[in-house]
Amino acid sequence: MANLESNLAGIKSPNPFWLASAPPTNSGYQVMRAFEAGWGGAVWKTLGTPIVNVTSRFAALDYKQNKMIAMNNIELITDRPLDVNLKEIAECKKAFPERTIIASLMEICEQKAWHELVKRVQEVDIDGFELNFGCPHGMSERGMGSAVGQHPDLIKQVSEWTKEVARVPVIVKLTPNITDIRFGARAASEGGADAVSMINTINSLIGVDLETWNPVPHVDGMSSHGGYCGPAVKPIALNMVNDCARDPEVRIPISGIGGIETWKDAAEFLLLGASNVQVCTAAMHHGFRIVEDMIDGLNNYLDERGLASVQDLVGKSANRITTWENLNLNYKIIARIDQDKCIHCNKCYVACEDAAHQCIDRISNNGSSTLVVDEQECVGCNLCQMVCPVEQCIEMIEIDTGLPPESWKQRSLRLEGVSS
Ligand SMILES: Cc1cc2nc3c(=O)[nH]c(=O)nc-3n(C[C@H](O)[C@H](O)[C@H](O)COP(=O)(O)O)c2cc1C
Ligand code: SF4
Ligand code: SF4
């Protein structure tokens, strides 16, 4: 059995799976049950001055037969008094001392207010703080959440204020509602934060009810933009995590969040540079017990690959991402159809004909037709393989071009050399 222990800026957990700050971490009752199920840590629902929520507040994006490929919410931070939350945090930590509890915080941008909140919360036993600079609705209109996360100078300032009094590591949770998330991460690093977490939710409107013309979720016929999360946001989150993992000015570790539902999703975040992961929508959709499969799956994967620990995965693919200009122009693949597996649905033919390079030929043969790729013309775009409903029916094959690797950058320099 591999060692699943994770370490984020010195915060150790028995496994890298934390519940993100959200409804699943609203109360001691829930967090205790989550820990019983096996979660390595929990980031408590954001603490601050209790708010009043609206009903309704969630809406889902379904795609064909798949329920909740994403969700949108207009919920605010905790609506429970601070002393009640702190009492329950203390009870959870006492019952599960080896699990991680992080207190998520939100306050107005004043040094005194942050000092008071940090000091008050760390009177109970917690493993770290997470500063919520990400909530994009409601709280941002009051100058908190993403209103801070969209201004690197404020991120730096509040990180500094928090570090002035915090006795445990400080994680800064960033908003994706910004052109380049690295600016926020650099500011957190400059402000002395110990780690960053990303992503919080993405600004979104999930749709309109075509019967009533009400936007959803609606509150008495009206709505406001909400925060988008769940499986559909994973690629956006992966890119942001990797951008920060490769940035030399972001000198602190990353907790990856966004669309994680399985151990495979988690492993991808780890490979691209996250030190651990947090989960919200998947726990809301399927319940706390999904963590059992996550733990088993990651364990088996590490064992199969002969890896001793989660640390052996962290960042291993991070530097395989580069800018386009560095990719090898002389690497060539082409599509090849396995005639024994083909069910003649023609999906690949239509896709290549209408949207790629018109290089799948339909060869008639005694009333039936065979699909064959013109390998000279194929540009290896992958589209036919993506639309083919039969597993491994279309393989992408590497072709030896006989040419040495050359990137666009290198080619430009070579051509400049020729012309000058
Ligand atoms: C209903 C709901 C409430 C949330 N509340 C908070 C919150 O109080 N504090 C916070 O930092 N993030 C909050 N989030 C954001 C999540 O912690 C997480 O960053 C986001 O949902 C992306 O992860 P996911 O794709 O696994 O859901 C909330 C998300 C949802 C869906
Ligand atoms: S890889 Fe692209 S170009 Fe080649 S056959 Fe498939 S769809 Fe056509
Ligand atoms: S999409 Fe796949 S199964 Fe369908 S015709 Fe093309 S190769 Fe055959």
Side-chain angles (χ1 to χ4, degrees):
M1 285 252 289
N3 177 7
L4 286 195
E5 191 178 87
S6 70
N7 184 342
L8 178 81
I11 308 172
K12 291 194 176 149
S13 305
N15 64 57
F17 305 114
W18 292 3
L19 284 172
S21 174
T25 60
N26 240 331
S27 66
Y29 168 75
Q30 291 164 284
V31 172
M32 293 257 200
R33 285 188 51 244
F35 285 166
E36 274 160 24
W39 290 88
V43 185
W44 209 269
K45 175 75 185 170
T46 302
L47 307 172
T49 307
I51 51 70
V52 179
N53 270 309
V54 290
T55 66
S56 59
R57 35 187 126 140
F58 308 155
L61 181 69
D62 300 337
Y63 185 69
K64 299 189 176 165
Q65 304 310 314
N66 293 313
K67 294 286 284 177
M68 268 175 80
I69 64 151
M71 72 176 278
N72 160 285
N73 86 89
I74 53 171
E75 176 176 293
L76 306 186
I77 63 170
T78 185
D79 51 10
R80 307 163 77 230
L82 185 58
D83 54 347
V84 173
N85 277 306
L86 294 182
K87 180 174 155 289
E88 294 178 13
I89 289 174
E91 286 164 1
C92 286
K93 194 65 195 168
K94 196 162 168 234
F96 291 90
E98 83 294 357
R99 307 298 172 89
T100 305
I101 297 185
I102 304 292
S104 168
L105 305 181
M106 190 187 283
E107 249 305 349
I108 53 169
C109 268
E110 283 175 12
Q111 185 183 31
K112 189 163 170 280
W114 276 97
H115 278 186
E116 279 172 10
L117 183 61
V118 169
K119 284 186 196 161
R120 173 91 179 80
V121 173
Q122 68 188 3
E123 282 169 13
V124 297
D125 188 10
I126 49 164
D127 299 289
F129 289 111
E130 186 179 79
L131 313 187
N132 179 348
F133 297 155
C135 181
H137 42 77
M139 306 311 293
S140 50
E141 293 151 30
R142 303 172 200 182
M144 294 178 261
S146 67
V148 178
Q150 287 167 334
H151 291 276
D153 50 338
L154 292 180
I155 295 176
K156 179 168 178 265
Q157 177 69 86
V158 181
S159 303
E160 283 169 357
W161 289 339
T162 312
K163 284 295 288 181
E164 280 162 11
V165 287
R167 294 194 305 259
V168 288
V170 173
I171 306 164
V172 165
K173 184 169 181 181
L174 294 169
T175 176
N177 300 309
I178 186 166
T179 311
D180 187 339
I181 201 158
R182 288 174 299 182
F183 289 94
R186 289 171 189 163
S189 179
E190 277 174 36
D194 301 280
V196 280
S197 56
M198 65 195 73
I199 57 174
N200 207 307
T201 53
I202 302 171
N203 284 337
S204 61
L205 285 179
I206 213 137
V208 178
D209 182 325
L210 294 181
E211 287 299 318
T212 60
W213 294 3
N214 281 334
V216 284
H218 80 90
V219 181
D220 201 10
M222 299 289 288
S223 195
S224 72
H225 80 266
Y228 194 58
C229 53
V233 311
K234 189 182 101 179
I236 297 167
L238 282 176
N239 182 45
M240 291 186 169
V241 164
N242 182 258
D243 266 353
C244 292
R246 287 187 295 115
D247 189 306
E249 290 177 55
V250 180
R251 298 175 297 270
I252 47 181
I254 303 163
S255 181
I257 320 169
I260 296 162
E261 190 165 283
T262 66
W263 70 267
K264 289 184 181 172
D265 299 327
E268 290 175 88
F269 273 85
L270 297 172
L271 284 166
L272 286 172
S275 295
N276 76 351
V277 294
Q278 301 184 29
V279 176
C280 164
T281 304
M284 293 180 76
H285 190 177
H286 306 292
F288 291 144
R289 292 190 61 184
I290 55 167
V291 77
E292 293 171 10
D293 285 345
M294 290 173 141
I295 292 171
D296 287 349
L298 189 60
N299 230 323
N300 292 341
Y301 178 70
L302 292 173
D303 284 350
E304 276 163 25
R305 297 187 71 98
L307 299 173
S309 77
V310 164
Q311 302 308 321
D312 293 336
L313 282 186
V314 173
K316 289 297 185 294
S317 298
N319 290 324
R320 295 194 188 192
I321 310 289
T322 182
T323 44
W324 193 96
E325 64 178 1
N326 290 317
L327 300 177
N328 178 10
L329 294 171
N330 289 335
Y331 174 74
K332 283 275 172 269
I333 55 168
I334 50 104
R336 196 168 287 166
I337 297 172
D338 183 336
Q339 301 301 338
D340 293 335
K341 292 190 176 138
C342 178
I343 57 170
H344 305 280
C345 69
N346 277 338
K347 277 188 171 296
C348 60
Y349 176 78
V350 172
C352 189
E353 203 64 11
D354 291 359
H357 286 258
Q358 302 82 46
C359 53
I360 297 184
D361 299 327
R362 249 192 320 209
I363 299 167
S364 297
N365 199 352
N366 291 334
S368 68
S369 64
T370 307
L371 294 167
V372 179
V373 176
D374 178 343
E375 297 187 356
Q376 293 305 315
E377 295 299 319
C378 173
V379 300
C381 71
N382 290 343
L383 182 63
C384 54
Q385 190 193 46
M386 285 155 56
V387 302
C388 178
V390 181
E391 216 161 301
Q392 290 175 352
C393 178
I394 300 184
E395 264 194 282
M396 303 306 298
I397 316 273
E398 186 177 342
I399 298 293
D400 183 3
T401 56
L403 298 168
E406 185 180 47
S407 67
W408 172 252
K409 201 169 165 184
Q410 291 165 328
R411 184 172 294 186
S412 305
L413 287 172
R414 179 166 61 79
L415 294 177
E416 265 172 38
V418 167
S419 61
S420 60

